[in-house]
Amino acid sequence: MDILYKFMDNKILLLTTIVVLIVIVLGVLLILKKKNKNYDQMFEEFQMEAVENLSKVEKDLKQEKEQLVNQVKEGYESKISDFKEYVRTVEKISRTTSEVNTHNILTEIKEKLVLEGTIQPFQMMILDNVFFPFKKANGEIGTTKIDHIVLMKTGIYIIDTNEFHGDILYGISKENTKQFSFILDNLFPSEDDETEKTIVFVNKNKDPKELNVISFDDPSKQVMSGVDNLNQLLEKHIQYNSITPILYFHANKLINYSQNKIPYVFDDKQTLYKFFMRQLDGYNDVHSEDELEKMKNIIENVSIN
C-alpha cells in the first residue's frame, strides 16, 4: 500500500508539473501573441505615417517645383519684354530714308495693280521692317531684320534695300569684267576670278578730277539669309513656300554684272512693276487668300515689335 500511495503521489506530482508547464507555455504564447498584435499594429501605423510623410514631401517638392518654374517663367518673360523694348527702340532708328522710299514704291505698284484690276487689295500684302528670331547652328537664338516682305498669290518676296551715293558695279568679278580686273586685283588680290564683288565709284569731294573707289561686302548675303530664316519660320505652318529674294538699289547708276539668277536686282520702280506683272501673268497661283492672311498673321505674331 505504501508503494501504491507513493506511486500515486509521484503521478499526481508529475501531472501537476505538466499542468503547470502547460499553463506557463500557454501564458507565454498569449503574451507573444499579444506582443505580435502590438507589433503588427505598430508596423501598420509606421506604414501609414511613412505614406503620409512621403505624400507631404511629394507635395512640398511639387510646390517648390511650381514656384521655381514660375520664377524662371517670370524671369524669361521679363527678359523678353526688355528685349522687345530694345528692338522697338532699334526699329525706330533703323528705318532709313531709302527704306521709306522703297515702301512708297511698293505701295504705288500695289495701287497701280489694283486700279488695273490685276489684283484685289488683299492679294498683295506689304510688311516693312520686320524683326523676328531664328535659331542659329549652335542652338542660340538670334534676330534677323527684313526690310520688306511682299505676300502675293504667286509667292513670297523678300526685298532688301541698299543705298549708295555713287555709281555701282554689282556682281563684278575678275572673270566677267576683264576691263576692270586691275581694280579687283588691287582691292581683292586673294579672291578667285569667279568671286563676285560690289564696288562703288564716289566723288566725295565734288572734284571732277577725283574719284573714290569703295568696295562692299556682298549685298545679297542679307537678303539670302532672310530667305533661309523666313522659310524656317513658315515651313512649320505652310506646306509650300516660294520665297523670292530681291535687291533694290538707290544709287546714281547701277550696272549689274552678276551671273547669278538670284537675287533679282532692280534700281527703278518701272522695272520692279514689270517684274511683278510677269510674276502674275506667267506663274500659277501657289497661295490662296486664306494662306496669305495666315502667313501675315504668323509673321506679325512672331515679329519682335
Side-chain angles (χ1 to χ4, degrees), residues 2-15:
D2 292 335
I3 295 174
L4 179 60
Y5 286 138
K6 188 176 182 180
F7 174 76
M8 291 297 294
D9 289 338
N10 291 336
K11 188 173 182 181
I12 291 171
L13 180 61
L14 179 61
L15 288 173

Side-chain angles (χ1 to χ4, degrees), residues 8-157:
M8 291 297 294
D9 289 338
N10 291 336
K11 188 173 182 181
I12 291 171
L13 180 61
L14 179 61
L15 288 173
T16 302
T17 302
I18 292 172
V19 170
V20 171
L21 290 174
I22 291 173
V23 170
I24 293 172
V25 170
L26 289 174
V28 172
L29 290 175
L30 288 172
I31 293 171
L32 291 175
K33 185 176 181 181
K34 186 176 180 180
K35 285 187 177 182
N36 284 337
K37 284 185 179 180
N38 291 335
Y39 290 148
D40 290 341
Q41 185 177 357
M42 289 173 60
F43 183 71
E44 185 176 348
E45 291 175 353
F46 174 77
Q47 280 185 316
M48 292 177 63
E49 185 179 352
V51 170
E52 289 178 359
N53 289 334
L54 287 174
S55 299
K56 186 176 182 301
V57 170
E58 185 178 359
K59 185 178 180 180
D60 292 342
L61 288 174
K62 186 177 180 181
Q63 289 178 345
E64 289 179 6
K65 182 180 178 181
E66 290 176 353
Q67 291 175 355
L68 180 60
V69 169
N70 289 333
Q71 289 175 357
V72 172
K73 184 179 178 182
E74 289 173 0
Y76 174 78
E77 290 176 347
S78 176
K79 289 181 179 179
I80 289 295
S81 178
D82 292 343
F83 183 67
K84 285 186 175 183
E85 183 62 32
Y86 167 75
V87 172
R88 278 193 290 267
T89 303
V90 172
E91 184 182 13
K92 289 178 182 178
I93 63 175
S94 67
R95 289 192 176 114
T96 63
T97 303
S98 59
E99 288 174 9
V100 173
N101 290 337
T102 303
H103 168 78
N104 293 336
I105 288 171
L106 292 170
T107 301
E108 291 171 10
I109 290 174
K110 176 180 178 178
E111 290 174 351
K112 187 175 181 180
L113 292 172
V114 171
L115 286 174
E116 292 171 345
T118 306
I119 62 170
Q120 296 296 318
F122 47 79
Q123 291 178 330
M124 183 175 181
M125 302 178 182
I126 303 170
L127 307 176
D128 298 300
N129 216 36
V130 179
F131 287 81
F132 63 87
F134 71 96
K135 196 171 185 179
K136 298 180 181 179
N138 61 4
E140 294 182 357
I141 300 297
T143 57
T144 188
K145 179 199 172 192
I146 298 178
D147 294 342
H148 316 276
I149 300 175
V150 178
L151 304 177
M152 299 178 67
K153 57 185 180 179
T154 52
I156 305 166
Y157 304 87

